[in-house]
């Protein structure tokens, strides 16, 4: 399996970053070519100074572009698996939840109406739909990250987008997050991406903002937290594309510990 210096390779990485963004955010854009794939990523988290021994809330922003060297449509992403630093955590307990079924077949406004209280992040995404022997069709959508709840040791998150061509359809990515004990890593997230436009759609751009300690009915919830005991946070991820391409990477980012 080939390794490349990037973890953000498609829109489901946004969900993975809701857990692993602390280990994957950079101060400058990173551009990487992996075969015919060309990826650019930028992002950041705040604050960068974290306690050494206790978890503190963080906010996260991420942005990425997926293109090809030859200018053709990039392959569709099928799955993203990420293991993240045991010094980062996600906790959605007590925050409003949404069921995946409530997001299916709903446009963005309807999804917000059905599960607005469960939104933990917002952004945008660009998708290209290209059928055989037809010109590419660009589609832009608002991106919403929903809390699906915690049950049986698993946190569920949903990423919702809505496309209007070739026919109106919701695109809902499901992410399952579980605790693991694997050396440096303490969390494993698996994002399953549905086919877009029957498999002819590919993500080319995404951006997402997850605020620090979102509020519900006036109460703050520290959904994303981290600590910095040894000056670094890291993650390892693997993306699997429709054409069989696999991109795997381990990313280490510095942090400053206090206390």
């Amino acid at each position: 399996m080939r390794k490349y210096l990037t973890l953000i390779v498609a829109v489901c990485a946004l969900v993975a970053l809701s857990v692993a963004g602390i280990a994957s955010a950079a101060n400058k854009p990173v551009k990487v070519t992996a075969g015919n794939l060309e990826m650019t990523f930028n992002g950041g988290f705040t604050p960068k100074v974290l306690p050494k021994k206790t978890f503190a809330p963080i906010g996260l922003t991420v942005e990425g572009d997926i293109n090809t060297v030859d200018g053709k449509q990039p392959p569709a992403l099928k799955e993203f698996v990420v293991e993240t630093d045991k010094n980062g955590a996600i906790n959605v307990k007590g925050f409003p939840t949404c069921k995946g079924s409530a997001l299916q077949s709903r446009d963005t406004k309807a999804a917000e109406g059905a599960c607005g209280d469960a939104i933990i992040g917002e952004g945008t995404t660009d998708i290209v739909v290209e059928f055989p022997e037809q010109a590419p069709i660009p589609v832009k959508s608002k991106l919403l990250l929903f809390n699906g709840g915690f049950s049986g040791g698993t946190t569920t998150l949903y990423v919702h987008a809505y496309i209007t061509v070739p026919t109106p359809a919701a695109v809902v990515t499901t992410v399952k997050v579980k605790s693991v004990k694997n050396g440096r890593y303490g969390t494993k997230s698996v994002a399953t991406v549905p086919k877009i436009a029957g498999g002819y759609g590919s993500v080319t751009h995404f951006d997402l903002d997850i605020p620090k300690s979102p509020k519900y009915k006036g109460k703050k919830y520290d959904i994303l937290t981290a600590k910095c005991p040894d000056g670094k946070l890291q993650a390892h991820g693997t993306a699997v594309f429709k054409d069989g391409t696999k991109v795997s990477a381990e990313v280490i980012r510095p942090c400053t510990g206090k206390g």
Side-chain angles (χ1 to χ4, degrees):
M1 184 177 295
R2 303 163 67 188
K3 293 185 178 181
Y4 302 92
L5 187 62
T6 185
L7 186 62
I8 314 306
V9 291
V11 68
C12 73
L14 294 174
V15 188
L17 280 174
S18 69
V19 183
I22 51 175
S24 306
N27 294 324
K28 297 181 180 179
V30 177
K31 186 174 183 179
V32 179
T33 300
N36 192 43
L37 283 173
E38 190 174 73
M39 296 163 284
T40 304
F41 161 72
N42 196 11
F45 63 89
T46 55
K48 293 178 174 61
V49 178
L50 298 167
K52 290 183 178 180
K53 298 180 180 180
T54 58
F55 285 87
I58 62 170
L60 174 69
T61 59
V62 290
E63 181 178 2
D65 293 284
I66 305 172
N67 297 294
T68 57
V69 176
D70 61 10
K72 295 182 179 180
Q73 181 184 16
L77 183 69
K78 292 175 58 179
E79 184 180 71
F80 190 86
V81 181
V82 59
E83 288 185 293
T84 58
D85 203 299
K86 61 185 177 183
N87 294 308
I90 180 170
N91 181 9
V92 298
K93 292 181 180 178
F95 198 77
T97 62
C98 179
K99 294 183 178 180
S101 58
L103 302 174
Q104 298 291 345
S105 302
R106 292 182 186 269
D107 62 20
T108 300
K109 185 175 181 179
E112 290 174 319
C115 293
D117 291 339
I119 295 174
I120 60 176
E122 296 187 14
T124 62
T125 184
D126 292 331
I127 297 170
V128 172
V129 178
E130 186 172 356
F131 296 103
E133 300 181 1
Q134 292 187 23
I137 305 171
V139 184
K140 193 176 192 70
S141 172
K142 188 172 183 178
L143 200 65
L144 299 173
L145 179 63
F146 293 89
N147 172 34
F150 178 84
S151 179
T154 299
T155 297
T156 300
L157 303 172
Y158 299 108
V159 177
H160 178 279
Y162 188 77
I163 63 174
T164 55
V165 293
T167 57
V171 180
V172 182
T173 296
T174 301
V175 182
K176 298 292 185 179
V177 186
K178 295 183 179 181
S179 296
V180 296
K181 293 182 179 180
N182 184 20
R184 182 78 189 194
Y185 304 117
T187 304
K188 183 177 182 179
S189 306
V190 179
T192 303
V193 185
K195 290 182 179 181
I196 302 174
Y200 293 102
S202 300
V203 174
T204 59
H205 170 82
F206 57 80
D207 57 76
L208 180 72
D209 177 59
I210 303 175
K212 176 184 174 183
S213 303
K215 292 182 179 180
Y216 175 65
K217 292 186 176 180
K219 180 181 178 180
K220 290 184 178 180
Y221 289 83
D222 296 338
I223 291 179
L224 301 182
T225 58
K227 60 181 179 178
C228 183
D230 58 3
K232 66 178 182 180
L233 294 164
Q234 67 188 63
H236 182 273
T238 299
V240 182
F241 291 84
K242 178 184 176 181
D243 65 352
T245 300
K246 291 184 179 181
V247 180
S248 184
E250 184 172 76
V251 179
I252 299 175
R253 294 290 184 241
C255 57
T256 301
K258 66 176 183 178

